[in-house]
Amino acid sequence: MERETSAVPAYSRPLAGIDWHRWAALPVVLLIVAVAIVYTRLGKPSLAVFWVFGLAFGFVLQRSRFCFASAFRDLYLLQDGRVIKGIIIGLAVATIGFSLVMYKLQPDLAAGKLPGHANVYPLGPHTLLAGVLFGLGMVLGGGCATGTLYRIGEGYVASFVAFLGMLIGMFLLALQWGWWWPKVISIKPKVWLPHKLGWSGGILVTFIVLLLFYLLVLWWESRGGPKVSVVAEEPPLHSWKDRVRALGHTVFVKAWPATLGGLLLGTLNVFEYIYSQPWGVTTEMSRWAGWLVRLLGYPVEVLLYYGGKPAGYELLKNIPWYSGGALLDWGIIAGSLLAALLAREFKLRTPPNRARYAQALVGGILMGYGARLAMGCNIGSFFSAIPSLALNGWVFAVGLAIGSYFGVLAIKRLA
Amino acid sequence: MKLDVRGEICPYPMLMAVEAMKKLPEGEVLEVLTDHAPALESIPVQATRRGFEVKIEKIGDPEWRILIFKGEPRIAGGSGENVLASVGVAGLQALSPKEAWALVAEGATVVDVRHPAEYGALHVRDSISLIISSKKAVEAAAGLSPLKGPLIILAKHSGQIEKTVAAVKEAGQVSLLGYIEGGIEAWRMEGLPTAELKSLSIEELKARLDSGSEDFVLLDIRLPQEWELMRIPAAKFIPLSELEGRLNELDKDKAIATFCDLGFRSATAASVLARHGFTRLFNVIEGMTGWLKAGLPVVEGGNAT
């Protein structure tokens, strides 16, 4: 009566064919190590450090599927607050860390100075406009600035198109910077909460607003229907080897909760501020845009954005592989690629509907323009600005919410 | 109904799946093919919210099939175009209910590995309830004589079957004859004998205990160390491992409510009692967890009696 039986736990069920993902991860790891060694040998160990930061950001973004574009979009579209709750937690953690760093740098509020590198930018109507443009762009393009980078690492071809769009949008803004900067931006005040409310007041207000926002998200989710927790069925773990394998599965294969992603990104952001400055992504990308346009023969250094002192970027130096920002951005792509390979989630994906490329391009252009108009994207003007206790971070966030709403309207029409 | 969203960028996989759920005819299975990993989290949230059940299967690197369906899902086999049939179950024999019934007549035992609430609602008569996803429940039931085999699995879906096969392999020396094709639904359609196990909520249990009726026994079947740690004052204690040897201590005419920490092992205990002709059985599904949650009194540190 006895019959041959075989059982494989669900998490390690082998699929037909060779596991090429895991093999492909090997050269990627070697490349990652080689880059770090090369920069260290070239006498630029700090660039290797930025490379590691980028890898870590990319890895966490991919593993926790931390897409800022989906934050407001999925609230409107699906009453799903998964990512936005992660973002709120990340902001809260970074607010604590940033406050400590800023207090170390500039304890005396009476001096009226800003702490070094804090993302406090001139606050004006352009901040809100930039948020709206960026919010609309990220929903159309299927990813924010960081989302676009980590999705490139996962193999989304449309995200690469969005990336090109961002470079175009950034250059368009650079062309018009000569008007924006003197006429609109530079004349506006930089509003830093501790100057208005004191240290404790600024921190407290930030936390209260974050808490209220979290409660609002819960209310919004409850309108969508009940939350049903599904208990994952997992086989029992007996030996030490079973447990180690399960740990590997949890870290490298299963998706991380967005709350963990937020916590880690917020923490990494604090570490980066301690090491040099808050996390930023698009300043560097605008350098690449200028560098590429100059390759095509256009003298970009005549533009205020690339050559002028007031903006102070010296944007054409050290490009595009010899600056911290560059290593950070490349690191995000490489970290995400590695994470996607280890999770067997990498795949070159081309959308069946060709119109998505146009959508991604337009979304990218809007994002690129908006990001530089606000002097930062969803990271620089939002994820690093609110913890900097800067009012421009909140205004940009309102812009993102408004822009995402219009983005959702557009998305539904294009479905 | 089939929906292929491979290659699509965010948020279209989720958006299209939600639209398809809205249009899904009653009783049909929606099959979503996707290569977009975030959809594995978003789509189940949307589906469960709308009362669907979800099953995700990895079919490639990286491609997934998400099955979205309502009500009692059918496992391999069954009638019509059953998508779940393609899942395949651990190389085990699929038995029709009639074949399984014939094997039971020869001495095989049906082991029901579904959730206790599902077991309570309807099960194969004389089957043993065993919650395969709980290591504690499986360990506690290890010595029971009906589980020495040969066994036939009754499950809700293939994951439970795979897990049972793994557990049986672990235990060794138990022969596994197969699983019942089409699950409890197919069994019922064939008109083969079934039974129910009523559950008792914490409030109902409290009311019965408060009435002080001589006709009611609360039977705690947890481990001695759990009993010593904490127990309900009026409970009678027989650990599951000793139950079969101490049946003479129980009165078949009385109502008996089996009790553990979460209704899993108590379901096993009730199913053992049912095989021995006890008829007035109840399972306290919320168990000690629910009792404590309700803030009701317990005796701590008492000796096993």
Side-chain angles (χ1 to χ4, degrees):
Chain A
M1 290 277 275
E2 197 150 341
R3 290 186 178 90
E4 187 82 17
T5 61
S6 69
V8 185
Y11 60 81
S12 64
R13 183 190 307 185
L15 291 155
I18 305 166
D19 185 0
W20 67 268
H21 279 86
R22 299 278 163 86
W23 284 109
L26 192 66
V28 172
V29 170
L30 293 176
L31 181 79
I32 283 171
V33 174
V35 167
I37 292 174
V38 166
Y39 280 104
T40 311
R41 284 293 168 90
L42 285 173
K44 287 275 184 184
S46 75
L47 294 187
V49 174
F50 279 109
W51 176 239
V52 174
F53 267 116
L55 292 168
F57 279 122
F59 199 89
V60 175
L61 286 167
Q62 199 283 336
R63 293 288 50 236
S64 55
R65 285 136 194 195
F66 209 85
C67 171
F68 283 74
S70 71
F72 289 106
R73 183 196 69 203
D74 288 358
L75 266 190
Y76 300 137
L77 208 55
L78 307 167
Q79 281 88 36
D80 183 348
R82 189 186 97 87
V83 175
I84 199 132
K85 287 191 276 192
I87 290 175
I88 294 170
I89 287 167
L91 288 172
V93 172
T95 298
I96 298 169
F98 275 39
S99 299
L100 291 170
V101 177
M102 291 188 296
Y103 184 74
K104 273 275 186 192
L105 292 171
Q106 192 61 258
D108 182 17
L109 294 176
K113 285 186 196 155
L114 290 170
H117 295 303
N119 286 15
V120 189
Y121 301 135
L123 174 65
H126 69 281
T127 314
L128 188 69
L129 174 67
V132 173
L133 291 177
F134 194 90
L136 173 60
M138 71 181 182
V139 172
L140 275 182
C144 55
T146 42
T148 300
L149 291 181
Y150 93 74
R151 289 253 157 83
I152 291 174
E154 290 184 320
Y156 285 83
V157 177
S159 289
F160 185 71
V161 175
F163 172 77
L164 296 178
M166 283 172 76
L167 296 184
I168 295 170
M170 288 171 177
F171 187 71
L172 290 178
L173 184 273
L175 286 175
Q176 295 169 353
W177 187 248
W179 181 80
W180 279 113
W181 176 254
K183 293 268 163 53
V184 182
I185 301 175
S186 66
I187 53 172
K188 290 290 184 299
K190 296 179 176 180
V191 184
W192 192 46
L193 295 180
H195 278 158
K196 305 279 169 196
L197 309 166
W199 278 109
S200 49
I203 296 167
L204 209 61
V205 163
T206 302
F207 266 91
I208 289 170
V209 177
L210 287 175
L211 177 67
L212 291 177
F213 191 28
Y214 199 101
L215 295 175
L216 184 71
V217 170
L218 291 184
W219 172 76
W220 192 272
E221 280 189 316
S222 70
R223 293 174 67 237
K227 178 181 173 169
V228 184
S229 54
V230 180
V231 182
E233 296 192 27
E234 271 160 25
L237 306 175
H238 297 293
S239 62
W240 175 76
K241 218 173 132 189
D242 280 353
R243 284 160 205 253
V244 172
R245 197 182 296 131
L247 173 69
H249 184 77
T250 306
V251 175
F252 295 114
V253 181
K254 247 166 73 174
W256 298 357
T259 42
L260 176 66
L263 196 71
L264 292 173
L265 292 173
T267 308
L268 281 169
N269 199 357
V270 174
F271 289 169
E272 200 188 331
Y273 194 5
I274 292 172
Y275 180 68
S276 106
Q277 62 183 58
W279 185 20
V281 173
T282 49
T283 307
E284 185 59 36
M285 284 164 66
S286 69
R287 286 190 178 128
W288 302 347
W291 182 78
L292 283 170
V293 173
R294 196 168 61 164
L295 278 189
L296 297 174
Y298 183 87
V300 292
E301 50 281 4
V302 304
L303 296 173
L304 176 67
Y305 187 88
Y306 290 109
K309 269 289 160 198
Y313 285 128
E314 299 186 352
L315 284 175
L316 290 183
K317 274 191 186 167
N318 299 335
I319 35 172
W321 44 74
Y322 219 62
S323 71
L327 269 293
L328 189 78
D329 286 357
W330 295 127
I332 291 174
I333 298 178
S336 160
L337 171 63
L338 179 62
L341 286 173
L342 291 174
R344 298 200 193 94
E345 284 177 8
F346 179 86
K347 180 187 170 191
L348 273 182
R349 297 164 175 91
T350 48
N353 181 352
R354 303 283 156 205
R356 298 283 181 255
Y357 291 118
Q359 205 177 316
L361 188 72
V362 172
I365 292 172
L366 290 170
M367 270 195 282
Y369 196 94
R372 297 324 304 160
L373 183 57
M375 302 169 72
C377 60
N378 57 301
I379 302 300
S381 275
F382 174 59
F383 201 63
S384 294
I386 286 176
S388 295
L389 306 178
L391 195 57
N392 52 281
W394 289 105
V395 174
F396 190 76
V398 171
L400 287 181
I402 297 170
S404 298
Y405 180 76
F406 288 119
V408 165
L409 294 183
I411 280 272
K412 280 185 175 165
R413 287 181 148 263
L414 294 165
Chain B
M1 201 165 142
K2 214 166 177 171
L3 177 68
D4 187 349
V5 289
R6 285 174 293 183
E8 272 294 359
I9 57 167
C10 228
Y12 290 105
M14 298 80 163
L15 191 56
M16 288 167 157
V18 168
E19 291 306 313
M21 279 178 225
K22 287 179 187 161
K23 285 184 226 143
L24 189 67
E26 198 66 36
E28 268 198 42
V29 178
L30 172 62
E31 181 183 3
V32 182
L33 295 180
T34 183
D35 54 13
H36 188 63
L40 303 183
E41 286 165 81
S42 296
I43 290 179
V45 167
Q46 298 299 321
T48 51
R49 210 177 241 187
R50 292 171 170 78
F52 290 100
E53 296 199 42
V54 181
K55 185 168 164 54
I56 298 174
E57 193 201 350
K58 189 157 190 182
I59 53 169
D61 278 335
E63 273 176 31
W64 296 269
R65 170 167 38 215
I66 306 178
L67 300 173
I68 298 166
F69 46 86
K70 257 200 179 125
E72 190 77 18
R74 294 156 296 174
I75 55 168
S79 57
E81 43 168 333
N82 190 343
V83 194
L84 297 175
S86 62
V87 170
V89 195
L92 206 58
Q93 178 82 19
L95 301 167
S96 74
K98 279 185 176 149
E99 285 172 322
W101 183 236
L103 290 167
V104 168
E106 288 173 32
T109 305
V110 174
V111 51
D112 189 321
V113 297
R114 299 173 302 155
H115 189 272
E118 290 160 344
Y119 177 85
L122 193 70
H123 59 258
V124 171
R125 199 179 71 199
D126 286 345
S127 61
I128 292 290
S129 168
L130 181 64
I131 315 312
I132 207 72
S133 54
S134 158
K135 196 180 170 193
K136 211 168 171 184
V138 173
E139 280 176 356
L144 294 172
S145 58
L147 293 179
K148 296 207 162 75
L151 301 178
I152 297 167
I153 304 171
L154 187 131
K156 188 174 180 184
H157 54 74
S158 57
Q160 291 175 338
I161 297 177
E162 282 166 12
K163 214 159 290 169
T164 312
V165 171
V168 164
K169 209 177 177 191
E170 192 83 22
Q173 298 188 340
V174 179
S175 75
L176 207 47
L177 304 181
Y179 63 91
I180 299 175
E181 200 175 22
I184 192 69
E185 195 64 22
W187 186 274
R188 197 188 60 179
M189 297 295 261
E190 289 285 351
L192 294 167
T194 57
E196 291 167 23
L197 170 62
K198 291 198 184 75
S199 57
L200 214 55
S201 71
I202 294 297
E203 298 89 76
E204 287 165 339
L205 172 63
K206 177 83 170 43
R208 292 236 184 189
L209 290 174
D210 287 349
S211 75
S213 165
E214 286 291 311
D215 183 44
F216 178 74
V217 180
L218 175 62
L219 180 64
D220 189 332
I221 55 82
R222 295 173 303 151
L223 300 170
Q225 54 267 39
E226 290 173 293
W227 168 264
E228 277 164 36
L229 200 66
M230 185 183 288
R231 61 193 171 87
I232 292 178
K236 176 171 178 59
F237 176 62
I238 304 179
L240 183 55
S241 58
E242 295 173 19
L243 184 59
E244 287 176 299
R246 293 171 62 181
L247 291 170
N248 55 353
E249 294 177 31
L250 295 166
D251 187 343
K252 277 187 185 160
D253 297 330
K254 286 188 180 174
I256 299 174
T258 52
F259 183 86
C260 62
D261 56 357
L262 208 57
F264 288 9
R265 289 172 292 168
S266 56
T268 307
S271 68
V272 169
L273 292 175
R275 274 173 83 93
H276 285 94
F278 287 81
T279 50
R280 299 181 63 198
L281 294 167
F282 297 90
N283 182 22
V284 185
I285 282 203
E286 293 161 89
M288 186 59 102
T289 316
W291 184 269
L292 292 173
K293 212 163 148 188
L296 295 168
V298 289
V299 178
E300 290 182 55
N303 289 325
T305 51

